[in-house]
Amino acid sequence: MSKENFDEIIHRSLEIRKKYHELELLHHGSEWTVEEDALAYLTDAGLVGRNIMSQQQRWPKAGSETELEHKLAENIWWLIVLAEGSGIDIKEAVDKFLTKMDVALK
């Protein structure tokens, strides 16, 4: 798989979220709110921590390497989804953050 630019990653992330919204409507009669998305993200963020601990042999769990890779990517996906749901341009936000940190750390 080729490395994609951030625009394509954002586009694909939002298209996948639309498909999940369709499933939510089908199974529950309504789409998840931004708040529900945030809670799901927090669950996955916690799983990243647990899988990092396992990878570093500080928590006993088999097969965490593959799950860690998946959860890291899923967390990026969630952040893109949450930014969109909050009306934030994630590209602009990341650029502002990196610029601010570059300046602060010089």
Side-chain angles (χ1 to χ4, degrees):
M1 181 173 151
S2 66
K3 304 249 188 270
E4 299 178 66
N5 68 35
F6 203 22
D7 288 327
E8 182 64 17
I9 291 168
I10 292 168
H11 174 75
R12 288 180 66 197
S13 294
L14 298 178
E15 288 300 311
I16 289 168
R17 188 66 191 103
K18 285 179 189 174
K19 291 176 184 173
Y20 272 110
H21 279 313
E22 291 171 12
L23 289 172
E24 293 156 7
L25 284 169
L26 179 67
H27 293 286
H28 305 288
S30 64
E31 296 177 356
W32 278 14
T33 64
V34 175
E35 293 92 343
E36 289 169 310
D37 285 350
L39 288 171
Y41 160 70
L42 289 172
T43 298
D44 286 331
L47 290 171
V48 167
R50 183 67 67 176
N51 285 310
I52 289 284
M53 288 178 69
S54 179
Q55 182 203 45
Q56 298 298 309
Q57 299 169 351
R58 303 297 289 171
W59 186 261
K61 183 176 185 229
S64 62
E65 192 73 33
T66 302
E67 187 176 341
L68 174 58
E69 181 180 291
H70 176 86
K71 287 297 174 187
L72 285 169
E74 188 173 15
N75 273 259
I76 292 169
W77 175 76
W78 272 124
L79 291 170
I80 291 167
V81 167
L82 290 169
E84 178 74 13
S86 301
I88 294 170
D89 181 328
I90 193 66
K91 282 178 30 180
E92 186 178 311
V94 170
D95 183 57
K96 282 183 190 177
F97 169 78
L98 294 175
T99 299
K100 180 180 178 179
M101 296 310 294
D102 284 341
V103 169
L105 297 172
K106 284 187 181 180

